[in-house]
Amino acid sequence: MSLIEWADFEKVELRVGTIVQAKPNEKARKPAYVLTVDLGEMGLKTSSAQITDHYEPEALIGRQVLCVCNFEPKRIAGVKSEVLVTGAHDKENSVVLAGFDHQVPNGTRLL
């Protein structure tokens, strides 16, 4: 692991958003959902996420997630992915979403 300076960390816009829509991405080679995330003053952003192992679309609605907001948008399986929804792999290599114990305002930046 290489060490970074505090200024490097500050460059990453990690913000909290609430999933307001989730549907299967029919064009994806690996199962994925197209998510619409409300990031407060930043507006609604789209993400394609391979999170189908642990989550059903309807259960994702209203869930707060942590997003990287300052990557260049990337076209993924026909979807303009504007943010990266973060998580970690479990022992079966399935994604578990990063989240919060209590609600925080959409758009709040990670400290």
Side-chain angles (χ1 to χ4, degrees), residues 1-61:
M1 176 174 58
S2 60
L3 297 178
I4 64 171
E5 300 291 324
W6 182 256
D8 295 323
F9 175 73
E10 287 181 315
K11 292 177 187 176
V12 182
E13 287 282 329
L14 287 161
R15 295 189 178 265
V16 179
T18 299
I19 298 172
V20 296
Q21 184 178 40
K23 59 185 178 182
N25 184 345
E26 302 295 341
K27 295 182 180 179
R29 285 181 286 161
K30 293 182 180 179
Y33 296 136
V34 177
L35 306 176
T36 302
V37 182
D38 180 351
L39 286 154
E41 291 184 12
M42 294 180 71
L44 298 176
K45 301 292 181 181
T46 302
S47 183
S48 180
Q50 294 176 347
I51 57 173
T52 59
D53 289 343
H54 290 306
Y55 306 98
E56 294 296 325
E58 56 276 357
L60 290 167
I61 307 303

Side-chain angles (χ1 to χ4, degrees), residues 37 39 42 45-48 67-69 71 81-85:
V37 182
L39 286 154
M42 294 180 71
K45 301 292 181 181
T46 302
S47 183
S48 180
C67 301
V68 177
C69 297
F71 279 139
S81 192
E82 301 172 292
V83 296
L84 173 70
V85 175

